[in-house]
Amino acid sequence: MSRPNRTDPLPVAPAPPTAYRSGHARAVSVDRVLADRYVAATLIGDPPADAVVAELVEHDAATGAEWVRLGIEAGPAAIADAPPAIRAFFAEIERIPPWFDDAGVLPGCRAFHRNSEMFIGAFVAAVLIEGFSSLISQSFSITGRMVDQGVRRLKQNNRQLIEIFLPGGLDRHGDGWKLSVRIRLVHARVRRLLARSDDWDQDAWGTPLSAAHMALATAAFSALLLKRAEMLGVTLSAEERESFMRIWRYAGHLMGVPPDLLFETETDALRFYEVGAMCEPPPTLESIILANGLINSAPLVAGITEPRARRRLAHKIYRISRAMIGDELADQLRYPAMTTIGTLAVLRLKNAAERILGRLFPAFGDRRRASQFQTMLAVSLYNDDGIRYRLPEHVYAERDAEL
C-alpha cells in the first residue's frame, strides 16, 4: 500500500458516516493519513463491478448470468454481445499487475498446505470473527447470508481460501481466480440491493460492502491470518511470508480492492488493519450474532451433528478463539466466560511435535499432509456441477437459497 509523501498537503477528508466518527477521531492520533483514507473508502463501493451490475439489471436474468459465466470462464472475447461496461470489466480484470508472478506464489502455497489445519483453524476461530466485529456485519446480518446460511457460507469462505493457495489457483483459468472474481460481482450485486433497501442506513454506515471493508478483510485474511497462525505454532520463512502476502494481495486485487488500499508488505497490511479497526465502532448486536453463529456452525461444517459432541467442540473453539482475539473483544462479543491459560501453548506444542515426527518419520509426514488435505475438502463447499455464477436477485438470502 503506497503512502503519500508526509511533506505534501494532506487532502481534506469527507465527513465520515456517523457510526465511524468516534473511532475516526481516535485513529487520527495514530495515523491521520490512513484513518482519513479508511473512512473516505467507507463511502465508495467498487465502480467497475458496480457498473457491470447496473448493466445486468437492464437485461433478463438468464442472459446476464450467461454473460457472467462466459466472462469469467472464457473472457471478453466470448461475450461480444454484452454491453461495453461488461466487456471492459472482463478485459481489465485479465490484466496481471506487474508486481505479481506465478513463480513467486509457490513458497506461500507450500507453506499454507504444510500448515493448512492451523491456518483454517486461525481463519475460523480468529480472523473471520475479528472481521465480523466490524460494521461489515450489518450487510451480512440484513441479507441473512451468514445468519440463515452460516454453514454454507463458512464452507464457501473455506473453499476460496483453499483454492487461492493451490498451485495455479490464481492463474487466469484457476478456480481461485474464478471464485475471487465471482465474489466481487456477488458483492456488487448485494451492494446494489442493500443500497436500495429500507434496512440500510446510508448516513450511519456509508456504502454497503464498501471499499474500506473489502480492504480491511484482505488485510485480515493475509497479515492478520499469518499473525494468528503463528500464535498456534506455525513457523514460516521470510520468503514464505512474502509469498503468502503476494497471494492475498492479488486475490484482493481480483476482488476489487482499490490500488491505494492494497498493501505492499505484511507490515503495511497490519498497520492498515490496526488503523481501520480503530475507525470501526464497537461490535454491534449483529456482530455478536454473527460471531457466535460462526463458532456454533463450525462443528456442523466439520460434520459433527451429535448434540453433546457439537457442544464440546464449540466450547473448545470458543476457548481457542478467546485466547487468540483477547478477552476484551471476546467479552464485547459475549463469549462464554472461561480461562484460556495454556490453551495456545498446548496447540503450539502439538504442532511442534508433529513437525518433528514428520522430519524423523517421512511416512508419518506424508500421512499427516494427506489427512490435512482431506480435512480441507470436507470443510469446503464443492458442487458436482462446478462454480455457480448466478448473482443474487433478492436482498434476503432465503430467497436465494441455492446461491
Side-chain angles (χ1 to χ4, degrees), residues 38 62 83 129 152 183 216 251 274 283 288 381 389 393:
Y38 186 82
I129 299 291
R152 184 179 182 85
I183 288 169
L216 190 72
E274 174 193 6
I288 293 167
L381 185 65
Y389 293 118
E393 298 175 8

Side-chain angles (χ1 to χ4, degrees), residues 231-296:
M231 294 172 73
L232 297 179
V234 172
T235 57
L236 272 64
S237 68
E239 180 189 33
E240 289 170 337
R241 299 178 82 94
E242 190 278 333
S243 177
F244 189 100
M245 294 300 299
R246 186 178 304 179
I247 289 168
W248 264 116
R249 189 182 184 197
Y250 189 42
H253 163 78
L254 293 173
M255 290 190 292
V257 177
D260 67 329
L261 298 179
L262 270 179
F263 46 80
E264 292 182 4
T265 67
E266 185 178 345
T267 300
D268 284 343
L270 282 174
R271 181 65 164 180
F272 179 81
Y273 182 84
E274 174 193 6
V275 175
M278 287 185 68
C279 290
E280 294 285 331
T284 62
L285 177 61
E286 290 78 9
S287 295
I288 293 167
I289 293 170
L290 284 173
N292 287 276
L294 182 66
I295 288 178
N296 284 286

Side-chain angles (χ1 to χ4, degrees), residues 73-358:
E73 290 284 350
I79 52 172
D81 59 334
I86 298 178
R87 297 199 309 272
F89 173 85
F90 285 109
E92 180 59 31
I93 201 67
E94 292 202 350
R95 300 181 194 276
I96 299 175
W99 43 262
F100 182 79
D101 67 274
D102 293 338
V105 306
L106 292 178
C109 291
R110 288 193 292 265
F112 175 83
H113 286 281
R114 188 174 69 245
N115 302 280
S116 61
E117 185 175 71
M118 291 298 174
F119 272 119
I120 290 178
F123 185 65
V124 173
V127 174
L128 280 178
I129 299 291
E130 289 168 296
F132 284 134
S133 69
S134 74
L135 276 181
I136 200 172
S137 60
Q138 304 301 114
S139 300
F140 287 97
S141 179
I142 291 170
T143 63
R145 284 181 162 78
M146 280 301 295
V147 178
D148 295 336
Q149 301 176 356
V151 172
R152 184 179 182 85
R153 301 303 158 194
L154 183 51
K155 285 190 172 187
Q156 286 179 329
N157 286 333
N158 289 343
R159 182 180 177 186
Q160 189 206 11
L161 181 65
I162 291 166
E163 292 289 358
I164 68 171
F165 281 100
L166 284 175
L170 286 174
D171 291 351
R172 167 59 185 86
H173 295 288
D175 279 359
W177 191 98
K178 295 175 184 178
L179 284 168
S180 298
V181 177
R182 176 194 178 272
I183 288 169
R184 180 178 183 178
L185 292 174
V186 169
H187 285 167
R189 177 61 173 153
V190 172
R191 186 181 303 117
R192 181 183 177 90
L193 292 169
L194 280 170
R196 287 158 174 75
S197 166
D198 291 338
D199 293 323
W200 188 260
D201 188 339
Q202 185 89 13
D203 292 337
W205 305 328
T207 298
L209 297 171
S210 68
H213 281 147
M214 294 302 99
L216 190 72
T218 305
F221 295 169
S222 56
L224 189 62
L225 180 55
L226 281 175
K227 182 177 180 179
R228 297 301 181 226
E230 194 171 39
M231 294 172 73
L232 297 179
V234 172
T235 57
L236 272 64
S237 68
E239 180 189 33
E240 289 170 337
R241 299 178 82 94
E242 190 278 333
S243 177
F244 189 100
M245 294 300 299
R246 186 178 304 179
I247 289 168
W248 264 116
R249 189 182 184 197
Y250 189 42
H253 163 78
L254 293 173
M255 290 190 292
V257 177
D260 67 329
L261 298 179
L262 270 179
F263 46 80
E264 292 182 4
T265 67
E266 185 178 345
T267 300
D268 284 343
L270 282 174
R271 181 65 164 180
F272 179 81
Y273 182 84
E274 174 193 6
V275 175
M278 287 185 68
C279 290
E280 294 285 331
T284 62
L285 177 61
E286 290 78 9
S287 295
I288 293 167
I289 293 170
L290 284 173
N292 287 276
L294 182 66
I295 288 178
N296 284 286
S297 293
L300 294 175
V301 171
I304 298 172
T305 58
E306 195 277 321
R308 286 201 298 179
R310 277 187 61 191
R311 287 194 295 271
R312 283 196 300 270
L313 181 54
H315 186 81
K316 180 179 179 181
I317 297 171
Y318 269 121
R319 189 181 302 280
I320 295 169
S321 182
R322 178 180 278 274
M324 285 197 286
I325 69 176
D327 285 332
E328 181 179 0
L329 180 55
D331 289 343
Q332 288 177 322
L333 294 172
R334 301 185 191 174
Y335 277 24
M338 57 181 65
T339 180
T340 60
I341 295 173
T343 298
L344 298 183
V346 169
L347 291 172
R348 287 193 292 269
L349 182 62
K350 174 179 178 290
N351 203 25
E354 288 179 349
R355 284 199 304 271
I356 293 170
L357 285 171

Side-chain angles (χ1 to χ4, degrees), residues 379-398:
V379 299
S380 303
L381 185 65
Y382 285 87
N383 299 309
D384 291 339
D385 53 353
I387 299 172
R388 296 175 178 174
Y389 293 118
R390 185 176 66 83
L391 302 183
E393 298 175 8
H394 304 281
V395 69
Y396 304 118
E398 64 267 20

